[in-house]
Amino acid sequence: MTNRALLCFFFTLTLLTISATASDSAEPTNGEEEKALTGLAMDFYKDTCPQAEDIIKAQVKLLYKRHKNTAFSWLRNIFHDCAVESCDASLLLDSTRRSLSEKETDRSFGLRNFRYLDTIKEAVERECPGVVSCSDILVLSARDGIVALGGPHIPLKTGRRDGRKSRADLLEQYLPDHNESISVVLDRFAAMGIDTPGVVSLLGSHSVGRTHCMKLVHRLYPEVDPALNPDHVPHMLKKCPDPIPDPKAVQYVRNDRGTPMILDNNYYRNILDNKGLLIVDHQLATDKRTKPYVKKMAKSQDYFFKHFSRAITILSENNPLTGEKGEIRKQCNVVNKLH
């Protein structure tokens, strides 16, 4: 090789090395890629409030030990907040003279225990004032509440910011009702990117908690719905003796009499046996689009948890406010300008 050729070879090699080095240095880390895509990332507060998730987890355990029904509430919260346009804790805002709270609408009937989210927020604020959003606390309390109920641990990203307005006027547009057709339910969830097995798994949340008689008396009066398992009807009538129940009365039926405090796949066996309390439960077990997944989840809890974890993850990342959008509320029930 001549001196000139040798010089050209080394010059080309040097350029390639510099190019590769520049490319490597510009390569984003996994965390940077996550933030670039959604603005969310795993362990978002590792530098600004490294104890945040541990504090939330400890508070969830403590509150669940004292008040078992808190976990049901936290599980419902993630659906009622994140499914309505954005996962931004708008659900937690109180009514003002100009705006009705989402908490006070008919679609939010039965939601409660919001004061315990305030308790968690106060604990986090003592450690890191003004850093962790109410929307992240809402999501992480649901995650840890699922574990308390015997469900899977679901790694969820953080970095959400809080919205500044109630979306009470949009609830019926986004939240499917328990009496809606299964087609409407599937369409509403599909708009968030949740597929059919994901919808079936999310409705597995009906494995825990209870349903107020207000939501099911139409299946008992004036005549009993023939689709109901006749062996289950006497129990329902005993718990719901009034055709027009008092919405403020403690009149309810456990969603799952067998394992009412455990998030498991017993729900699917119940609805295949026509013991589902709500119309949507019955449709889930009979519609040709959903029944195959109901059967699979009835047979395999692992299959149920797999799709449930994926659906909760998608739900928790629905159109979050990140970056400079929104705010970090000082109190979860009011926006900062009114605080």
Side-chain angles (χ1 to χ4, degrees), residues 176-177 180-190 199 203 280:
D177 184 70
E180 303 258 33
S181 72
I182 195 66
S183 294
V184 171
V185 174
L186 291 172
D187 288 346
R188 296 279 174 88
F189 281 106
V199 175
L203 285 170
V280 70

Side-chain angles (χ1 to χ4, degrees), residues 73 76-77 79-81 84 90-93 100-114 166-172 175-178 212 215 247:
S73 300
R76 286 193 69 188
N77 286 345
F79 168 65
H80 280 262
D81 184 63
V84 185
S90 61
L91 172 68
L92 306 181
L93 291 172
L100 176 67
S101 169
E102 294 174 33
K103 296 180 288 189
E104 297 180 21
T105 64
D106 290 341
R107 283 292 167 96
S108 298
F109 178 79
L111 289 179
R112 53 184 180 157
N113 292 325
F114 295 109
S166 165
R167 293 190 170 86
D169 58 326
L170 299 177
L171 294 194
E172 293 194 10
L175 287 181
D177 184 70
H178 63 281
H212 196 283
K215 299 289 187 180

Side-chain angles (χ1 to χ4, degrees), residues 10 78 100 121 159 243 289:
F10 281 114
I78 193 172
L100 176 67
K121 173 67 169 175
R289 292 165 293 182

Side-chain angles (χ1 to χ4, degrees), residues 113-133:
N113 292 325
F114 295 109
R115 65 186 182 278
Y116 297 129
L117 280 176
D118 295 334
T119 300
I120 299 173
K121 173 67 169 175
E122 289 165 7
V124 175
E125 285 292 300
R126 286 193 292 270
E127 179 73 18
C128 312
V131 174
V132 181
S133 67

Side-chain angles (χ1 to χ4, degrees), residues 131-148:
V131 174
V132 181
S133 67
C134 295
S135 49
D136 275 341
I137 290 172
L138 182 150
V139 165
L140 294 180
S141 64
R143 178 196 68 184
D144 297 333
I146 288 167
V147 173

